[in-house]
Structures are given as structure tokens and as C-alpha cells.
Amino acid sequence: MSRLRQVAGVTRLALAALPQRAGASLVVVLGMAGVVAVMVALLAMGEGFRQTFGNAGSDKRVIVLKSADDAGITSAVTREQLPIVMNLPGLARDPDGKPVAVGLKFMTSELRERATGNEVGVPMRGVTGQAFRLWPEVRIVEGRAFDWGKREAIVGRAAQREFAGLELGATVELTNGPWTVVGVFEAPGTLFESELWGDVEMVFPGFSITGQFSAVVGELAGPDSLQTLRDAVSTNPQLSHVVLTEAEYYATQSANLGQAMTAFGYAVGVIMALGALFSAVNTLYAAVQARSREIATLRALGFGAAPVVASVLLESMVLCGAGALLGGVLAWLAFDGNSMSTLAGGQDLRQIVFAFRVTPGLMLQGIAAGAAVGLLGGLFPALRAARLPIAEALRRA
Amino acid sequence: MKYLPLVWAMLWRSKARTWLTFLSIVVAFLLYGALQAVSATFMLGVRLSGDDRLIVTYRQGLTKLLPAAYQSRIEAVDPDIIVAAPVMFLPATWKDPKNQIQVLATDPETLVPVDPRIVVDPAQLQAFKSRRMAVLAGRALAEQHGWKVGDRLPLQSPVQRKDGTEVWEFDLVGTFELDRARTGVEVPAQLVVMHLDAYNEGATFSNYVIWYTVRVRDPARATAIGKAIDASFRNSELETRTQSEADFQRGFVKQFGNVGKMMGAILAAVFFTLVLVAGNAMMQAFRERVPELAVLKTLGFGNGRVAALIAAESLLLCALGGAVGLGLARALVPLAPAGLTGPGSTLFLEPATLATGFALALGLGAVAALVPAWRSARLSVVEGLVRA
């Protein structure tokens, strides 16, 4: 108990004297804040990217395509294969008995990105009749749905925000000609919002040379239907396709870039933290030196070495912890929800709009990093403080 | 120069502090080097662009393919056009789906004329031209997979074949590399090159290309020739857009988002912190040493000279830290796994980047020395000695 009281007393003394070393202490706080802000911001980028894909993928929907690792130019379902795939066992049916499945064709068009003025590739998802039943999360919030058989597009909220020329009622020049924007849809936090949607039969003319669909997406009839469907595809001589759940599909699509972003965030964070560590050690050595008279006096009064060590460690952790907290908050204020768009795999150079996500987990990681640097950084200065020769330190005073 | 021993001795007055400051500078410049290497790799395509090369794509970029028949029409546009090379890609894998291979399908006769930096043995080039299923492989790629000239090379590709199989049976007849002297930077050759005719015969979907690379005799006429190419296809079903190779590559990089800006923001945060750290260390060093500086002044050192000594100390520390950090980056960057920034890419650092880094280190030293040098110049002898 008295030990604890000693620790509390010495630490209070140390912290009370902080303003006298304000400059040096501020260096530690700001240094740590910089490290954590950069690390959390980079990790938030990877997190946001993965979530945008993850939110779109459902376990209840399946995607039938030519090859698992490629959904670009080469993936194909021919017009003859489309009804065969849609009527496979395992896919859900609506009350009228029609399969809940959609033939897709993606068309990339060049549009101007507002933030940068760059021409980038924006995807249009050409769909068949059951699209809104299959993806109920896609809700039209302005205007109306497109009419079948017309060059009418509905645009995702994120796409509208990010790319120029997609205002309601506008005519936009896409790859195969002019389209009219008749509606705006939301599907919060998913990659669908980066897209334009329209009638697939209006996408083919003037764009597709082969007239083949990119893939078929359907709803599973029940929890056991995935295997039924897979078996049906593999035993059908007319098909040489693979079946993935939508969740699996988007996880593989986002894996590479998402992992690269996160790995980059950690690598930069670790290197920067090393720099912050050196600066913390430096400052605390100076602090111990400045306090040597005080520490020696305390020791002479009968305070043990442990409370002195603890007080230096606590001072270090308070400084680094405060810096980390500041950095995390800075990253959150500056980046959380910021949207950015990047190239998202596929050979047809599609842009994906996603937002930085500074999650509580990432904030905690940043603060933990700060505390760890504080603990490590305080260790050697604390030991020096404990070993301070009392008589000599007092004499120097 | 005669003061160097003095500066050196001052620097090591507090060993722990000097080491720690030194190490934080080393770390910062290591990070600088690594981030610049990542940026440079993204910009490699731009860097390797020739001002005598143009890229012809569909009017809206890579959103649509162009007919293979455009080759002769492009070459006929202007007598200053040396060659128009068709470019199609066959995405493929070797044995394991993880071994992704990019196969460039082109007209073999155009391969070297369109890019004279490609170095290939004349006999191997001849063998490549004479056999339809022959391929050349980049030397780095061939070494990576242990391919030997003469090997049969079956590659898997999701591109639909007329015969229903997924295997393309190639014969490896030679290797190529990029001339280091002409590219100015070490670029490992990672492509496989095949005949466009073989692609068109094998694939169900054929006779289209992604773009044409056009090489012109006179770079000064490149823009005019580009305009002439686009004019000749105006009002045809597939209109073209002709850009300089550098602009084309730049547009491609921009699709990733602003990589350069992001690296810049990180480095700004790093250097901001570093200025604080180094400046603080110099200030500490100055405060400890007030009496010594006063003694120096008593011995006849002028204000300017004392300030110069302080500044020299800071510059020396930062220069050493910068040099070691950049040296480490130079040693470590090539060890980064290939493919980190995209298929087949490797990180690299250029001498110019290192030079800029060193200049930054000196700048850092100067900024960190600013306040202590000024204070030491204004230090009065009496006041300084009293503190002793």
C-alpha cells in the first residue's frame, strides 16, 4: 500500500513538473500523434476498401462465371447458356415461379472524376428483369427506375458524388452512346453505389462484340442449395462455369489491394513508431537528468527505487498515450468518411468509390501502439533514474 | 576543416542523445527512400515512355477494343511513321493459378522496331518470327520459373479457345531484356511475347487489339501525326484517340488515385516530426553547453564562429543520419518482394531521389540549428560563465 502511495506521490511530482519541460514533452506528444495519425489513416483506407466489397457480398446470392480469378473481359455466359443457368436447381423463384436470377454485362465508360479532373473508368451494370428483387438493398431515392428497352440509367449516390455529369435528368455520353439519368439509388457502404445501372439489352448494342453476358447472379433457394447448384453446373455438359457465393467472390476481388493497403499502413506505422521511440527515449533521458536532484532527494528521504522507475515509465506512457490519442482523433476528424476512388482489379479498369473507415478497433490499435512505445521508451531512462548515485546527485546540486 | 575535431568532440559530448537523434534521422530517411521507391515504381511506365512513341486507343480509352485491321491503316497515315505495333494481352498462369503471367500478343515484325531498347539475340528473334507458336520470355521471368530456351511452355488462360481447351502450347525459342543503358534504370523483363496471329487463331474472340503503339521518326512531329491518325478514323465506327506514350501511362497511373499526393502527405508528417526531434535535441545540446561556449568566446572565438560551430554540429549529425538512412534504403529496397505494387513490378531507387534525400537531410540540419545557433551567437560571456 505504501509502495503504491510512493508511486502516486513521485508520479504526481513528475507530472506536476511537466510544464517546466513543456518543449521537450510536446515533441514526444506531437511525434507520437504524427505516427498514429498516419498509421490509422492508412489502415482506415484498407478497412474502408474491404468493407465496400464486403457489404456488397451476400451469402444468399451466388455468382456463376467462367473462371474464379477473372471477371473481366474473359468471363462469359452465352445467350444460349443464360436460360440454362437461370433455371438450374438451387436458385430461388419468385411467387410467379420465375427464377430470381440476373444476367449481367458490365460496360466501363470514361467519366471525369470531380476531385482530380482525371478521366477514369466508371462501370455500368447492365441487368435483366429481376435485378431489384435480387438486390433489395438497392433503393431508388430520387427520380424513378429505368424503363426497360430505353437507354435510361440510374446512378449510385457515390458515383454521382464522385464523377461529373451524373445529375438527375442529365444526358451522359457512355461508351456506346448517350444515356439519360432518370434516377439515383442508394445502397449504403457497398460497391454498387459506385456503379450506374441500366437495361442489359441497351448495353450490348454498340458495345459488346460477342454479345455474351459477363456472369449470372442468382438467389439461393435455401441453406443447402449451394451444393445442389454446384453439382448441377458441374454435371451439365453445356456449362463449364464455376459457382461462388457473392461474399466469396467480392472477398477475392478485394483481397489483394485491401491487404496491400493494410500491410503498407503497418509497415509505415512500424518504421515511424521506431523514430518516435528514439525521440521519446531522448526526451525522457533529459527529463531524468533535469530531475536528478529531485529524485536523489526523494531517495534520500527513503523512497524506494521502484516508485522512481514507475514514475518515469508512467510519465513516458502518459506522454505517448496522449500523443497517440491526439493522432487517432486527428485521423478520425480528417479522414473518417472521406471518399476516394481507385482502380479495383478486373481487366476493364473499373473505379471503385470507397470511404476511409476509422473504426474504434483501429483507434484502439493506435493507442496501444502509443502505450507500447511509451513503455519501451521509458524503460532505459527509468533504470538510469533508479541507479542514480544519490550522494553525487545531491552534491551536484 | 580544422574545427572538425572540435565539432566531432562536441557531437559526442552526450553519447546517448547523439545516438538516439542519429537513429531517428536514419529511420526517417529510410522511410523516405522506401516511399519514394514505391512512387517511382508507380511512375515507371511514364519514366520509360519514349517521346517518339504514341498510343492509339478507342476514342474513350480502354473501354473498347480496336480492330486488328487498323494496323496497316495507321501505318499509311504518314510517311514518318516507322511502325504501328498491335497490342493484345493474354492473361495466363503457369502451373499454379498464383503464377500469373502476362502474355503480350503482337506482330513479331514490329517488336524491336517499336522499342529498340529490347535486346534479343538475332538468331532467337528469327526463330520467334518463323514459328507461329514460338514465344520469347523476359529474362527475369524465365529465370524466376527456371525456363530454358527450347522448352515447351503450356500456359493456362481463361481466354476461350476455339478448341474448347484452356491450354496454350507455346515453344520458348528465346529470351529478351531491356537495355539498361537506354532505359536508364534496371527494369526486369517480365513479359512473354507471342504472335498476334496465334492469338487470333486460338481464341474464339479474335481480330481485336487493346491498343496500338506507334513509333515515329521525328519526335517533334509526334503531336501532328497523332492528330492525323485520329482524323483518318473520324466518323468511322470506332474512332481513335492518340496520345503520347507518357500521357497514356500517366492516365493509367491516375486511375489508382493520387499515389504521389498520399506519399507526400506521409513524408510531410514524418519530416515535421523529425524537425521537432532534431531541433529539440540541438536545443538540449546547446543548453547543456552554455558555459563551454562562453569559455570559447573568452578564448577569442567570435559570435559568428561559435554559431557556425553549433550549425556545423547539427549539419554533420543530419548529414550522417541522412546518408546512413538513404544507404540502408538503397540496400533494402531491392529485397522487397516482387509484385508488391502490381504484377511483375519491382521497387527501385534512383540516384536523383537519393540526392534529393541528402539535400533534405542538410536542410533539416540547417533548420534544426537555427535557434541554437542564433542563441549561441547572442550569448554573453559573463552570463554564460556565471552559469558554470
Side-chain angles (χ1 to χ4, degrees), chain A residues 298-336:
Chain A
L298 287 170
R299 296 293 306 278
L301 287 174
F303 279 77
V308 170
V309 168
S311 88
V312 175
L313 282 182
L314 275 171
E315 176 180 345
S316 169
M317 285 173 71
V318 164
L319 290 180
C320 289
L325 190 64
L326 178 66
V329 170
L330 275 180
W332 181 67
L333 288 176
F335 293 106
D336 191 51

mmCIF file of all heavy atoms in Angstrom, chain A residues 298-336:
data_model
loop_
_atom_site.group_PDB
_atom_site.id
_atom_site.type_symbol
_atom_site.label_atom_id
_atom_site.label_comp_id
_atom_site.label_asym_id
_atom_site.label_seq_id
_atom_site.Cartn_x
_atom_site.Cartn_y
_atom_site.Cartn_z
ATOM 1 N N LEU A 298 14.361 12.547 -3.050
ATOM 2 C CA LEU A 298 13.336 11.579 -2.691
ATOM 3 C C LEU A 298 13.958 10.297 -2.171
ATOM 4 O O LEU A 298 13.525 9.756 -1.146
ATOM 5 C CB LEU A 298 12.465 11.254 -3.915
ATOM 6 C CG LEU A 298 11.496 12.341 -4.351
ATOM 7 C CD1 LEU A 298 10.883 11.991 -5.700
ATOM 8 C CD2 LEU A 298 10.403 12.508 -3.295
ATOM 9 N N ARG A 299 14.994 9.830 -2.883
ATOM 10 C CA ARG A 299 15.648 8.592 -2.457
ATOM 11 C C ARG A 299 16.240 8.758 -1.065
ATOM 12 O O ARG A 299 16.146 7.860 -0.235
ATOM 13 C CB ARG A 299 16.754 8.194 -3.443
ATOM 14 C CG ARG A 299 16.280 7.863 -4.850
ATOM 15 C CD ARG A 299 15.432 6.611 -4.899
ATOM 16 N NE ARG A 299 16.077 5.449 -4.297
ATOM 17 C CZ ARG A 299 16.964 4.695 -4.928
ATOM 18 N NH1 ARG A 299 17.284 4.937 -6.177
ATOM 19 N NH2 ARG A 299 17.510 3.681 -4.316
ATOM 20 N N ALA A 300 16.851 9.943 -0.825
ATOM 21 C CA ALA A 300 17.460 10.202 0.479
ATOM 22 C C ALA A 300 16.402 10.203 1.576
ATOM 23 O O ALA A 300 16.657 9.798 2.706
ATOM 24 C CB ALA A 300 18.201 11.540 0.456
ATOM 25 N N LEU A 301 15.183 10.621 1.193
ATOM 26 C CA LEU A 301 14.098 10.659 2.172
ATOM 27 C C LEU A 301 13.532 9.273 2.439
ATOM 28 O O LEU A 301 12.650 9.112 3.282
ATOM 29 C CB LEU A 301 12.968 11.556 1.668
ATOM 30 C CG LEU A 301 13.241 13.059 1.696
ATOM 31 C CD1 LEU A 301 12.106 13.818 1.033
ATOM 32 C CD2 LEU A 301 13.433 13.532 3.143
ATOM 33 N N GLY A 302 13.995 8.272 1.678
ATOM 34 C CA GLY A 302 13.546 6.907 1.941
ATOM 35 C C GLY A 302 12.619 6.330 0.890
ATOM 36 O O GLY A 302 12.107 5.215 1.058
ATOM 37 N N PHE A 303 12.366 7.052 -0.196
ATOM 38 C CA PHE A 303 11.587 6.474 -1.304
ATOM 39 C C PHE A 303 12.400 5.380 -1.972
ATOM 40 O O PHE A 303 13.620 5.518 -2.121
ATOM 41 C CB PHE A 303 11.241 7.554 -2.323
ATOM 42 C CG PHE A 303 10.052 8.401 -1.931
ATOM 43 C CD1 PHE A 303 10.177 9.403 -0.974
ATOM 44 C CD2 PHE A 303 8.816 8.182 -2.527
ATOM 45 C CE1 PHE A 303 9.098 10.176 -0.613
ATOM 46 C CE2 PHE A 303 7.728 8.959 -2.164
ATOM 47 C CZ PHE A 303 7.860 9.964 -1.208
ATOM 48 N N GLY A 304 11.732 4.292 -2.357
ATOM 49 C CA GLY A 304 12.446 3.183 -2.978
ATOM 50 C C GLY A 304 12.753 3.446 -4.444
ATOM 51 O O GLY A 304 12.327 4.465 -5.004
ATOM 52 N N ALA A 305 13.523 2.536 -5.061
ATOM 53 C CA ALA A 305 13.854 2.684 -6.483
ATOM 54 C C ALA A 305 12.627 2.414 -7.353
ATOM 55 O O ALA A 305 12.419 3.065 -8.374
ATOM 56 C CB ALA A 305 14.983 1.740 -6.871
ATOM 57 N N ALA A 306 11.782 1.457 -6.911
ATOM 58 C CA ALA A 306 10.632 1.063 -7.729
ATOM 59 C C ALA A 306 9.691 2.231 -8.031
ATOM 60 O O ALA A 306 9.300 2.422 -9.182
ATOM 61 C CB ALA A 306 9.879 -0.078 -7.072
ATOM 62 N N PRO A 307 9.311 3.023 -7.025
ATOM 63 C CA PRO A 307 8.431 4.148 -7.333
ATOM 64 C C PRO A 307 9.054 5.120 -8.332
ATOM 65 O O PRO A 307 8.349 5.687 -9.175
ATOM 66 C CB PRO A 307 8.224 4.824 -5.981
ATOM 67 C CG PRO A 307 8.524 3.797 -4.983
ATOM 68 C CD PRO A 307 9.571 2.916 -5.577
ATOM 69 N N VAL A 308 10.361 5.290 -8.248
ATOM 70 C CA VAL A 308 11.031 6.195 -9.189
ATOM 71 C C VAL A 308 10.926 5.632 -10.606
ATOM 72 O O VAL A 308 10.566 6.340 -11.553
ATOM 73 C CB VAL A 308 12.501 6.401 -8.777
ATOM 74 C CG1 VAL A 308 13.255 7.138 -9.870
ATOM 75 C CG2 VAL A 308 12.577 7.165 -7.467
ATOM 76 N N VAL A 309 11.228 4.317 -10.735
ATOM 77 C CA VAL A 309 11.110 3.670 -12.051
ATOM 78 C C VAL A 309 9.688 3.818 -12.576
ATOM 79 O O VAL A 309 9.456 4.224 -13.709
ATOM 80 C CB VAL A 309 11.476 2.167 -11.951
ATOM 81 C CG1 VAL A 309 11.082 1.438 -13.238
ATOM 82 C CG2 VAL A 309 12.955 2.000 -11.666
ATOM 83 N N ALA A 310 8.715 3.515 -11.693
ATOM 84 C CA ALA A 310 7.317 3.567 -12.108
ATOM 85 C C ALA A 310 6.940 4.970 -12.545
ATOM 86 O O ALA A 310 6.222 5.149 -13.540
ATOM 87 C CB ALA A 310 6.419 3.104 -10.975
ATOM 88 N N SER A 311 7.432 5.966 -11.849
ATOM 89 C CA SER A 311 7.030 7.330 -12.192
ATOM 90 C C SER A 311 7.564 7.729 -13.560
ATOM 91 O O SER A 311 6.868 8.376 -14.344
ATOM 92 C CB SER A 311 7.496 8.305 -11.115
ATOM 93 O OG SER A 311 8.800 8.756 -11.380
ATOM 94 N N VAL A 312 8.812 7.323 -13.873
ATOM 95 C CA VAL A 312 9.361 7.660 -15.196
ATOM 96 C C VAL A 312 8.575 6.933 -16.290
ATOM 97 O O VAL A 312 8.208 7.512 -17.322
ATOM 98 C CB VAL A 312 10.862 7.306 -15.282
ATOM 99 C CG1 VAL A 312 11.388 7.538 -16.689
ATOM 100 C CG2 VAL A 312 11.655 8.139 -14.289
ATOM 101 N N LEU A 313 8.288 5.639 -16.029
ATOM 102 C CA LEU A 313 7.522 4.871 -17.014
ATOM 103 C C LEU A 313 6.150 5.499 -17.233
ATOM 104 O O LEU A 313 5.680 5.628 -18.363
ATOM 105 C CB LEU A 313 7.357 3.430 -16.542
ATOM 106 C CG LEU A 313 8.562 2.520 -16.718
ATOM 107 C CD1 LEU A 313 8.240 1.112 -16.251
ATOM 108 C CD2 LEU A 313 9.000 2.503 -18.184
ATOM 109 N N LEU A 314 5.503 5.877 -16.143
ATOM 110 C CA LEU A 314 4.166 6.454 -16.260
ATOM 111 C C LEU A 314 4.209 7.774 -17.020
ATOM 112 O O LEU A 314 3.360 8.040 -17.875
ATOM 113 C CB LEU A 314 3.564 6.664 -14.872
ATOM 114 C CG LEU A 314 2.875 5.422 -14.310
ATOM 115 C CD1 LEU A 314 2.485 5.628 -12.860
ATOM 116 C CD2 LEU A 314 1.635 5.087 -15.131
ATOM 117 N N GLU A 315 5.236 8.573 -16.729
ATOM 118 C CA GLU A 315 5.355 9.847 -17.439
ATOM 119 C C GLU A 315 5.467 9.577 -18.937
ATOM 120 O O GLU A 315 4.786 10.197 -19.762
ATOM 121 C CB GLU A 315 6.586 10.613 -16.964
ATOM 122 C CG GLU A 315 6.798 11.897 -17.761
ATOM 123 C CD GLU A 315 8.017 12.698 -17.307
ATOM 124 O OE1 GLU A 315 8.536 12.430 -16.201
ATOM 125 O OE2 GLU A 315 8.436 13.590 -18.056
ATOM 126 N N SER A 316 6.317 8.609 -19.289
ATOM 127 C CA SER A 316 6.523 8.265 -20.686
ATOM 128 C C SER A 316 5.222 7.807 -21.329
ATOM 129 O O SER A 316 4.862 8.217 -22.436
ATOM 130 C CB SER A 316 7.590 7.175 -20.766
ATOM 131 O OG SER A 316 7.644 6.643 -22.051
ATOM 132 N N MET A 317 4.492 6.950 -20.574
ATOM 133 C CA MET A 317 3.265 6.414 -21.157
ATOM 134 C C MET A 317 2.180 7.473 -21.266
ATOM 135 O O MET A 317 1.388 7.475 -22.209
ATOM 136 C CB MET A 317 2.782 5.204 -20.360
ATOM 137 C CG MET A 317 3.645 3.983 -20.645
ATOM 138 S SD MET A 317 3.263 2.587 -19.610
ATOM 139 C CE MET A 317 1.689 2.113 -20.262
ATOM 140 N N VAL A 318 2.151 8.379 -20.298
ATOM 141 C CA VAL A 318 1.170 9.463 -20.376
ATOM 142 C C VAL A 318 1.441 10.315 -21.620
ATOM 143 O O VAL A 318 0.538 10.631 -22.392
ATOM 144 C CB VAL A 318 1.216 10.326 -19.091
ATOM 145 C CG1 VAL A 318 0.507 11.659 -19.316
ATOM 146 C CG2 VAL A 318 0.562 9.574 -17.945
ATOM 147 N N LEU A 319 2.725 10.659 -21.833
ATOM 148 C CA LEU A 319 3.071 11.496 -22.988
ATOM 149 C C LEU A 319 2.732 10.778 -24.297
ATOM 150 O O LEU A 319 2.069 11.330 -25.177
ATOM 151 C CB LEU A 319 4.566 11.839 -22.967
ATOM 152 C CG LEU A 319 5.030 12.797 -21.871
ATOM 153 C CD1 LEU A 319 6.537 13.037 -21.980
ATOM 154 C CD2 LEU A 319 4.276 14.114 -21.945
ATOM 155 N N CYS A 320 3.186 9.523 -24.417
ATOM 156 C CA CYS A 320 2.953 8.795 -25.678
ATOM 157 C C CYS A 320 1.477 8.474 -25.862
ATOM 158 O O CYS A 320 0.947 8.555 -26.969
ATOM 159 C CB CYS A 320 3.776 7.507 -25.708
ATOM 160 S SG CYS A 320 5.524 7.839 -25.908
ATOM 161 N N GLY A 321 0.814 8.115 -24.757
ATOM 162 C CA GLY A 321 -0.613 7.809 -24.844
ATOM 163 C C GLY A 321 -1.397 9.026 -25.287
ATOM 164 O O GLY A 321 -2.282 8.946 -26.148
ATOM 165 N N ALA A 322 -1.074 10.187 -24.706
ATOM 166 C CA ALA A 322 -1.768 11.419 -25.081
ATOM 167 C C ALA A 322 -1.527 11.710 -26.564
ATOM 168 O O ALA A 322 -2.448 12.086 -27.302
ATOM 169 C CB ALA A 322 -1.279 12.579 -24.221
ATOM 170 N N GLY A 323 -0.270 11.509 -27.004
ATOM 171 C CA GLY A 323 0.055 11.750 -28.410
ATOM 172 C C GLY A 323 -0.720 10.823 -29.311
ATOM 173 O O GLY A 323 -1.289 11.238 -30.327
ATOM 174 N N ALA A 324 -0.791 9.537 -28.921
ATOM 175 C CA ALA A 324 -1.493 8.548 -29.747
ATOM 176 C C ALA A 324 -2.973 8.895 -29.849
ATOM 177 O O ALA A 324 -3.573 8.848 -30.925
ATOM 178 C CB ALA A 324 -1.313 7.155 -29.163
ATOM 179 N N LEU A 325 -3.548 9.286 -28.705
ATOM 180 C CA LEU A 325 -4.962 9.656 -28.684
ATOM 181 C C LEU A 325 -5.196 10.845 -29.619
ATOM 182 O O LEU A 325 -6.115 10.851 -30.443
ATOM 183 C CB LEU A 325 -5.373 9.998 -27.251
ATOM 184 C CG LEU A 325 -6.867 10.173 -27.017
ATOM 185 C CD1 LEU A 325 -7.597 8.869 -27.281
ATOM 186 C CD2 LEU A 325 -7.137 10.651 -25.596
ATOM 187 N N LEU A 326 -4.295 11.840 -29.489
ATOM 188 C CA LEU A 326 -4.395 13.026 -30.342
ATOM 189 C C LEU A 326 -4.315 12.627 -31.823
ATOM 190 O O LEU A 326 -5.110 13.086 -32.655
ATOM 191 C CB LEU A 326 -3.266 14.000 -29.991
ATOM 192 C CG LEU A 326 -3.176 15.279 -30.813
ATOM 193 C CD1 LEU A 326 -4.407 16.140 -30.550
ATOM 194 C CD2 LEU A 326 -1.915 16.063 -30.450
ATOM 195 N N GLY A 327 -3.361 11.724 -32.132
ATOM 196 C CA GLY A 327 -3.194 11.290 -33.520
ATOM 197 C C GLY A 327 -4.423 10.560 -34.034
ATOM 198 O O GLY A 327 -4.884 10.806 -35.149
ATOM 199 N N GLY A 328 -4.971 9.677 -33.185
ATOM 200 C CA GLY A 328 -6.160 8.921 -33.580
ATOM 201 C C GLY A 328 -7.333 9.858 -33.849
ATOM 202 O O GLY A 328 -8.039 9.729 -34.853
ATOM 203 N N VAL A 329 -7.504 10.830 -32.955
ATOM 204 C CA VAL A 329 -8.604 11.782 -33.127
ATOM 205 C C VAL A 329 -8.391 12.617 -34.394
ATOM 206 O O VAL A 329 -9.322 12.850 -35.168
ATOM 207 C CB VAL A 329 -8.731 12.687 -31.877
ATOM 208 C CG1 VAL A 329 -9.699 13.828 -32.137
ATOM 209 C CG2 VAL A 329 -9.204 11.863 -30.690
ATOM 210 N N LEU A 330 -7.147 13.025 -34.608
ATOM 211 C CA LEU A 330 -6.826 13.793 -35.824
ATOM 212 C C LEU A 330 -7.183 12.992 -37.078
ATOM 213 O O LEU A 330 -7.817 13.503 -38.001
ATOM 214 C CB LEU A 330 -5.335 14.131 -35.862
ATOM 215 C CG LEU A 330 -4.888 15.382 -35.119
ATOM 216 C CD1 LEU A 330 -3.390 15.566 -35.253
ATOM 217 C CD2 LEU A 330 -5.626 16.608 -35.670
ATOM 218 N N ALA A 331 -6.765 11.712 -37.078
ATOM 219 C CA ALA A 331 -7.048 10.865 -38.251
ATOM 220 C C ALA A 331 -8.546 10.736 -38.450
ATOM 221 O O ALA A 331 -9.053 10.781 -39.569
ATOM 222 C CB ALA A 331 -6.414 9.484 -38.067
ATOM 223 N N TRP A 332 -9.269 10.594 -37.324
ATOM 224 C CA TRP A 332 -10.722 10.431 -37.398
ATOM 225 C C TRP A 332 -11.369 11.698 -37.962
ATOM 226 O O TRP A 332 -12.188 11.646 -38.877
ATOM 227 C CB TRP A 332 -11.265 10.101 -36.009
ATOM 228 C CG TRP A 332 -12.739 9.888 -35.968
ATOM 229 C CD1 TRP A 332 -13.420 8.868 -36.550
ATOM 230 C CD2 TRP A 332 -13.696 10.725 -35.341
ATOM 231 N NE1 TRP A 332 -14.760 9.017 -36.306
ATOM 232 C CE2 TRP A 332 -14.964 10.146 -35.566
ATOM 233 C CE3 TRP A 332 -13.609 11.904 -34.591
ATOM 234 C CZ2 TRP A 332 -16.138 10.708 -35.083
ATOM 235 C CZ3 TRP A 332 -14.772 12.465 -34.108
ATOM 236 C CH2 TRP A 332 -16.031 11.870 -34.353
ATOM 237 N N LEU A 333 -10.942 12.849 -37.413
ATOM 238 C CA LEU A 333 -11.523 14.119 -37.867
ATOM 239 C C LEU A 333 -11.200 14.371 -39.336
ATOM 240 O O LEU A 333 -12.043 14.808 -40.109
ATOM 241 C CB LEU A 333 -10.978 15.284 -37.028
ATOM 242 C CG LEU A 333 -11.496 15.375 -35.602
ATOM 243 C CD1 LEU A 333 -10.815 16.516 -34.854
ATOM 244 C CD2 LEU A 333 -13.011 15.576 -35.603
ATOM 245 N N ALA A 334 -9.958 14.082 -39.706
ATOM 246 C CA ALA A 334 -9.519 14.459 -41.048
ATOM 247 C C ALA A 334 -9.963 13.454 -42.117
ATOM 248 O O ALA A 334 -10.194 13.837 -43.259
ATOM 249 C CB ALA A 334 -8.000 14.609 -41.069
ATOM 250 N N PHE A 335 -10.072 12.166 -41.743
ATOM 251 C CA PHE A 335 -10.252 11.159 -42.790
ATOM 252 C C PHE A 335 -11.536 10.358 -42.730
ATOM 253 O O PHE A 335 -12.002 9.876 -43.751
ATOM 254 C CB PHE A 335 -9.078 10.182 -42.798
ATOM 255 C CG PHE A 335 -7.789 10.807 -43.212
ATOM 256 C CD1 PHE A 335 -6.793 11.071 -42.299
ATOM 257 C CD2 PHE A 335 -7.585 11.150 -44.541
ATOM 258 C CE1 PHE A 335 -5.608 11.663 -42.681
ATOM 259 C CE2 PHE A 335 -6.408 11.740 -44.933
ATOM 260 C CZ PHE A 335 -5.420 11.997 -44.006
ATOM 261 N N ASP A 336 -12.121 10.162 -41.531
ATOM 262 C CA ASP A 336 -13.255 9.255 -41.453
ATOM 263 C C ASP A 336 -14.359 9.698 -42.407
ATOM 264 O O ASP A 336 -14.775 10.856 -42.393
ATOM 265 C CB ASP A 336 -13.801 9.172 -40.024
ATOM 266 C CG ASP A 336 -14.807 8.037 -39.887
ATOM 267 O OD1 ASP A 336 -14.469 6.915 -40.297
ATOM 268 O OD2 ASP A 336 -15.910 8.279 -39.400
#
